[in-house]
Amino acid sequence: DYMSALAILVYALMVVIRRILGPQASLHAVYGIIALASVLFVYQIYRMVVGLVSYDSHMQVCISLAIAHCILWILWIVFTSSCSSKGRLLCLLCNIWFICASLLELFDFEPLLYHFDAHSLWHAATIPLGFLWYMFWIADIEHCTKRYKK
């Protein structure tokens, strides 16, 4: 669970960096970012496997990646002209939803009705994120396609 969460966060950070760089980015820069992220990911996994990483330090890494991810998307939303207002709104909604859902993971509490703890509610809260994120990418692709056809 910890390794897959780290993998998703590293991949998400690479995606936002790639989107910020845009299609005109140098392939050397893109491959460099992918290589750096991959090396750091493998190093962290190695440290986890040999027992050098505590739960708290793992959470600090994951929280840092999630914060960087959200900040980069919000900066992209504010400063981009390469996406429609609908796409930017969907991206903002996804980030706000993710931040709110993440609070469930950070602030643990006693199970509600003896069944629903913070972690289970986190998983439930993230279900709509996939659909919202997909809607954002569709809007972004449609806008970019129209723009590049001109």
Side-chain angles (χ1 to χ4, degrees):
D1 188 39
Y2 297 152
M3 291 178 199
S4 62
L6 182 65
I8 289 169
L9 289 167
V10 169
Y11 181 74
L13 194 58
M14 286 191 300
V15 168
V16 69
I17 292 170
R18 181 64 178 112
R19 185 63 185 98
I20 288 170
L21 293 175
Q24 72 281 1
S26 158
L27 285 179
H28 295 296
V30 173
Y31 292 149
I33 291 167
I34 291 170
L36 177 63
S38 299
V39 167
L40 292 174
F41 170 73
V42 169
Y43 178 67
Q44 182 70 357
I45 294 297
Y46 165 77
R47 291 183 62 227
M48 291 169 72
V49 169
V50 298
L52 297 175
V53 177
S54 68
Y55 174 78
D56 289 340
S57 64
H58 175 70
M59 285 301 291
Q60 288 173 351
V61 168
C62 288
I63 290 167
S64 299
L65 290 171
I67 289 170
H69 173 260
C70 288
I71 288 171
L72 287 174
W73 272 120
I74 290 169
L75 288 172
W76 178 81
I77 292 165
V78 170
F79 293 109
T80 190
S81 61
S82 66
C83 188
S84 67
S85 57
K86 175 186 175 186
R88 289 195 306 263
L89 181 64
L90 285 167
C91 187
L92 181 62
L93 180 61
C94 286
N95 278 280
I96 291 170
W97 194 295
F98 175 73
I99 291 166
C100 291
S102 296
L103 294 176
L104 289 168
E105 193 72 357
L106 295 176
F107 300 113
D108 201 9
F109 51 81
E110 292 293 320
L112 302 172
L113 304 172
Y114 303 104
H115 294 291
F116 304 106
D117 66 352
H119 190 73
S120 69
L121 293 175
W122 146 260
H123 282 288
T126 58
I127 293 169
L129 271 174
F131 298 103
L132 286 171
W133 203 231
Y134 183 77
M135 290 168 52
F136 157 67
W137 284 110
I138 293 295
D140 190 47
I141 289 168
E142 287 173 351
H143 180 77
C144 288
T145 302
K146 288 177 190 173
R147 201 172 103 211
Y148 290 119
K149 283 185 178 179
K150 291 181 181 180

